[in-house]
């Protein structure tokens, strides 16, 4: 199982690299530098000459090569899970990941063949994040720590604490909020609205735009969403830091989230101020994926007791305890 | 049988008479023959003029071609084509008759227009073409290019030319000012093509001069288009045998 976990972590890292490579494709405007699909300038993908990987082709064809490799890795993951993992829901998760990566490849091809329509490109970006989340799940669920925590009932479900409904709600809702924020960002990116508001942290020298166009509205929504997401992350982290100091499985992702969200806001501002420099812009995309993945880790740990392989002692609400009837009492 | 032959002969006679005397009023014109000009060319006039830039022309931007070693080695001109000209004259401006020719038809364009990719540049940078006229796109470079046209009124296309010497032909169905072309492999490569349903357009050279000849007499609106400076329009009256002078002045 250790090797499977290492493989899953490698798949997860490869997917993050793939997202970054996709970010470079968009940031450099190279999305249509290879006009055909699934071939590249008529070549079978893996036989395209390396010497021709110049200009935008380096990013677009490179993205395709990494994507194909991730696809092959995902097939391997699915087969491996199917053969060795006794958990049926886990095997199904592997199949879901495989389906997602196939659909993602098709979306990538469609967006090239139809000249990057916004809806398809945003869907491609959104599904990339969903697939990344699936790989995060695969890596987590194959880890010995996760399996141990489930079989021994080592952790008390957070909902048993007096204030845990707040932590539970915040941590569980956080990935959805981050994902929505990423979708707004992807819409901004694929409608060319990244510099619709050219200053940062102010907005046209103020707080609210004086005029409204679609690009300005999308861009402003992304900034407001960033503020809201950061507030929810800080509230979640505070809740966990105060009430769950004995839970390293929650404290670690919470601490990482704090760092990541600050870095992410900084990168967002830097992206604007640098005029969308490709490397900065791509770092913003990759860090966004990390924020999503980390918030998902936190949500999964908080909800550990809900999984089918959780120890009965982790069940919430606790199973009713049968109180033996007093001898002689009326029934 | 004889009666049937008689009807056949009579029908052919009627048809031949109609063709000989008809003048082709409602009959569709042959697609291969050029359409007759809508006016007498001997009554034509001309427009000539100059496009100026007010102030000092912005310094040309040097294009970084390092992302493709072939381009870096073979390119002879690495300066941007956005602002070209000298002594206050502005080149690469597309000047055309915007209004005044409505309802008129003109002979179909003959021959093709060529857009070349040479030295990792589009040549020419700005050009005009007629609706339906063949645009021949050539890759003269030892590296590969994609040709990505993103019109709004016509069909978008994106074609690869991985081999030196490759050509392909395209045409446009609708008038459009302007159709942008770009190479997504080499981000600095761009070009603009004006598509018109008449032949009255010109592109200024580095001396800012343009000539539009053989215009039917009448009142027109002329528009000058520049990729960075936008558009300007002017009214002009063309008289038989006369050359109307028009000048445009752009500023930043």
């Amino acid at each position: 199982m250790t090797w499977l976990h290492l493989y899953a972590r490698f798949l997860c890292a490869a997917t993050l690299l793939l997202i970054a490579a996709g970010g470079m494709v968009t940031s450099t405007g190279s999305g249509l530098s290879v006009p055909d699909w699934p071939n590249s300038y008529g070549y079978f993908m893996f036989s395209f000459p390396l010497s021709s990987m110049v200009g935008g082709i380096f990013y677009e064809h490179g993205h395709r090569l990494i994507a194909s490799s991730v696809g092959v890795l995902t097939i391997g993951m699915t087969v491996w899970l199917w053969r060795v993992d006794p958990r049926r829901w886990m095997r199904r998760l592997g199949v879901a990941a495989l389906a997602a990566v196939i659909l993602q490849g098709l979306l990538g091809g469609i967006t090239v063949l139809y000249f990057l329509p916004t809806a398809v490109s945003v869907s491609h970006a959104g599904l990339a994040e969903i697939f990344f989340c699936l790989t995060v799940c695969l890596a987590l669920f194959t880890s010995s720590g996760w399996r141990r925590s489930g079989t021994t009932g080592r952790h008390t479900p957070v909902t048993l604490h007096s204030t845990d409904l707040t932590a539970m709600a915040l941590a569980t809702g956080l990935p959805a909020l981050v994902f929505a924020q990423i979708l707004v960002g992807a819409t901004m990116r694929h409608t060319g609205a990244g510099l619709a508001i050219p200053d940062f942290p102010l907005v046209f020298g103020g707080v609210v735009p004086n005029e409204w166009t679609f690009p300005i509205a999308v861009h402003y929504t992304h900034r407001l969403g960033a503020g809201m997401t950061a507030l929810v992350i800080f509230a979640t982290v505070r809740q966990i830091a105060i009430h769950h100091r004995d839970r390293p499985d929650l404290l670690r992702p919470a601490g990482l989230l704090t760092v990541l969200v600050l870095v992410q806001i900084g990168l967002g501002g830097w992206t604007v101020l640098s005029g969308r420099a490709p490397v900065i812009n791509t770092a913003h995309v990759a860090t966004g994926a990390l924020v999503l993945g980390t918030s998902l880790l936190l949500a999964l740990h908080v909800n550990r007791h809900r999984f089918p392989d959780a120890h009965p002692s982790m069940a919430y609400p606790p199973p009713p305890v049968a109180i033996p009837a007093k001898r002689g009492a009326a029934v | 049988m004889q009666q049937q032959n008689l009807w056949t002969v009579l029908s052919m006679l009627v048809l031949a008479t109609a063709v000989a005397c008809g003048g082709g009023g409602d009959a569709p014109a042959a697609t291969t023959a050029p359409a007759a000009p809508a006016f007498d060319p001997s009554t034509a006039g001309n427009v000539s003029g100059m496009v100026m830039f007010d102030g000092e022309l912005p310094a040309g931007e040097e294009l970084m071609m390092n992302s493709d070693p072939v381009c870096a080695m073979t390119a002879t001109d690495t300066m941007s084509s956005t602002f070209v000209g000298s002594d206050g004259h502005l080149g690469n401006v597309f000047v055309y008759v915007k209004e005044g020719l409505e309802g008129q038809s003109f002979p179909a364009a003959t021959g093709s227009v060529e857009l070349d990719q040479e030295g990792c540049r589009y040549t020419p940078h700005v050009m005009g073409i007629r609706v339906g006229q063949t645009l021949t796109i050539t890759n003269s470079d030892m590296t590969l290019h994609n040709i990505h046209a993103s019109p709004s009124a016509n069909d978008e296309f994106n074609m690869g030319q991985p081999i030196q010497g490759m050509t392909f032909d395209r045409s446009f169905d609708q008038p459009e000012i302007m159709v942008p072309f770009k190479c997504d492999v080499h981000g600095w490569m761009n070009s603009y093509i004006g598509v018109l349903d008449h032949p009255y357009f010109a592109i200024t050279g580095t001396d800012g001069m343009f000539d539009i000849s053989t215009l039917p007499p009448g009142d027109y609106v002329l528009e000058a288009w520049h990729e960075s400076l936008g558009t300007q329009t002017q009214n002009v009256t063309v008289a038989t045998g006369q050359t109307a002078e028009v000048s445009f002045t752009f500023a930043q």
Side-chain angles (χ1 to χ4, degrees):
Chain A
M1 189 57 81
T2 305
W3 282 107
L4 179 61
H5 174 58
L6 285 175
Y7 185 87
R9 288 176 76 150
F10 181 68
L11 173 61
C12 189
T15 305
L16 184 64
L17 176 68
L18 176 59
I19 288 175
M24 281 304 287
V25 170
T26 319
S27 301
T28 57
S30 306
L32 294 176
S33 60
V34 181
D36 49 346
W37 183 89
N39 287 340
S40 292
Y41 285 91
Y43 288 94
F44 171 62
M45 186 178 298
F46 294 104
S47 66
F48 186 76
L50 288 178
S51 61
S52 294
M53 285 184 65
V54 294
I57 299 173
F58 175 79
Y59 300 109
E60 170 61 18
H61 189 66
H63 180 56
R64 293 186 186 189
L65 290 178
I66 297 171
S68 303
S69 305
V70 167
V72 171
L73 284 173
T74 310
I75 293 172
M77 185 80 210
T78 308
V79 172
W80 198 341
L81 280 173
W82 202 263
R83 290 176 65 92
V84 303
D85 202 306
R87 299 167 293 181
R88 191 170 65 171
W89 60 271
M90 191 62 183
R91 295 197 298 270
R92 287 180 174 173
L93 191 65
V95 173
L98 181 58
V101 82
I102 290 171
L103 181 60
Q104 177 70 345
L106 290 173
L107 280 177
I110 290 170
T111 204
V112 165
L113 296 178
Y114 288 90
F115 316 116
L116 312 179
T118 301
V120 181
S121 293
V122 172
S123 302
H124 188 58
L127 187 55
E129 302 290 340
I130 291 173
F131 177 72
F132 178 62
C133 286
L134 287 170
T135 64
V136 167
C137 291
L138 290 171
L140 177 65
F141 299 156
T142 52
S143 69
S144 55
W146 175 266
R147 294 171 70 89
R148 209 168 38 242
S149 70
T151 52
T152 61
R154 185 159 53 101
H155 296 310
T156 310
V158 291
T159 43
L160 288 180
H161 291 259
S162 57
T163 56
D164 280 349
L165 285 177
T166 307
M168 169 67 75
L170 286 171
T172 305
L174 191 54
L177 179 64
V178 175
F179 183 66
Q181 168 68 356
I182 286 176
L183 281 185
V184 175
T187 306
M188 182 180 79
R189 190 174 177 79
H190 290 285
T191 54
L195 295 177
I197 299 175
D199 50 348
F200 181 88
L202 293 177
V203 176
F204 296 108
V207 179
V208 179
N210 293 324
E211 61 173 294
W212 290 95
T213 60
F214 179 76
I216 290 174
V218 172
H219 190 123
Y220 193 65
T221 304
H222 189 57
R223 289 197 188 189
L224 287 181
M228 189 190 302
T229 307
L231 285 177
V232 174
I233 286 176
F234 293 146
T236 310
V237 170
R238 179 180 175 277
Q239 197 74 15
I240 286 168
I242 292 175
H243 300 286
H244 302 283
R245 290 181 185 172
D246 58 336
R247 292 285 302 269
D249 60 322
L250 302 184
L251 284 175
R252 273 197 301 265
L256 184 59
L257 262 181
T258 309
V259 175
L260 284 174
V261 76
L262 291 174
V263 170
Q264 179 68 344
I265 290 173
L267 284 170
W270 196 1
T271 300
V272 171
L273 296 176
S274 69
R276 282 194 307 169
V279 173
I280 308 301
N281 204 347
T282 300
H284 186 58
V285 171
T287 308
L290 283 174
V291 171
L292 178 63
T294 310
S295 67
L296 179 65
L297 277 178
L298 183 61
L300 292 170
H301 279 295
V302 164
N303 288 281
R304 179 67 182 96
H305 59 284
R306 297 184 195 274
F307 281 78
D309 60 345
H311 192 272
S313 67
M314 296 176 77
Y316 184 85
V321 179
I323 302 170
K326 288 181 180 175
R327 188 175 296 171
V331 178
Chain B
M1 190 67 177
Q2 276 184 340
Q3 194 176 16
Q4 190 177 359
N5 286 341
L6 178 65
W7 277 113
T8 305
V9 171
L10 280 174
S11 302
M12 291 178 71
L13 278 172
V14 169
L15 190 62
T17 308
V19 169
C21 306
D26 294 330
T31 52
T32 51
F39 74 103
D40 179 1
S42 65
T43 65
N46 309 303
V47 175
S48 71
M50 184 176 288
V51 179
M52 311 286 292
F53 184 82
D54 186 17
E56 191 172 341
L57 207 60
E61 180 189 349
E62 179 151 16
L63 305 172
M64 302 302 290
M65 300 187 180
N66 299 340
S67 62
D68 187 338
V70 174
C71 297
M73 279 191 301
T74 59
T76 53
D77 179 10
T78 58
M79 299 306 288
S80 163
S81 299
T82 303
F83 293 103
V84 293
S86 58
D87 301 328
H89 303 127
L90 187 61
N92 278 342
V93 177
F94 186 75
V95 184
Y96 70 103
V97 176
K98 184 179 185 182
E99 295 173 20
L101 293 167
E102 293 81 6
Q104 299 192 44
S105 60
F106 302 94
T110 55
S112 63
V113 175
E114 295 202 2
L115 178 64
D116 195 10
Q117 298 153 104
E118 188 175 17
C120 296
R121 308 287 297 266
Y122 282 115
T123 307
H125 182 64
V126 178
M127 62 192 291
I129 193 171
R130 299 279 301 280
V131 170
Q133 189 173 11
T134 302
L135 171 68
T136 301
I137 303 169
T138 306
N139 179 9
S140 298
D141 282 329
M142 286 188 296
T143 188
L144 38 68
H145 293 291
N146 76 300
I147 301 96
H148 178 201
S150 47
S152 50
N154 290 281
D155 292 334
E156 186 169 1
F157 65 87
N158 184 22
M159 309 284 288
Q161 286 190 330
I163 299 168
Q164 186 178 27
M166 282 183 83
T167 64
F168 67 75
D169 294 340
R170 298 289 295 202
S171 63
F172 298 95
D173 299 329
Q174 302 293 328
E176 184 170 350
I177 305 295
M178 304 283 288
V179 177
F181 278 67
K182 69 177 290 197
C183 173
D184 299 281
V185 180
H186 309 104
W188 62 87
M189 286 179 67
N190 65 337
S191 173
Y192 299 90
I193 297 185
V195 186
L196 291 169
D197 53 6
H198 62 73
Y200 301 109
F201 56 85
I203 293 96
T204 60
T206 52
D207 59 359
M209 303 289 289
F210 68 89
D211 286 297
I212 299 175
S213 58
T214 331
L215 259 170
D219 296 324
Y220 299 103
V221 175
L222 241 60
E223 183 167 87
W225 173 96
H226 184 268
E227 63 180 280
S228 175
L229 302 172
T231 59
Q232 288 189 12
T233 56
Q234 284 204 33
N235 296 320
V236 61
T237 299
V238 174
T240 298
Q242 304 292 311
T243 298
E245 297 284 340
V246 176
S247 69
F248 295 91
T249 303
F250 282 92
Q252 270 195 318

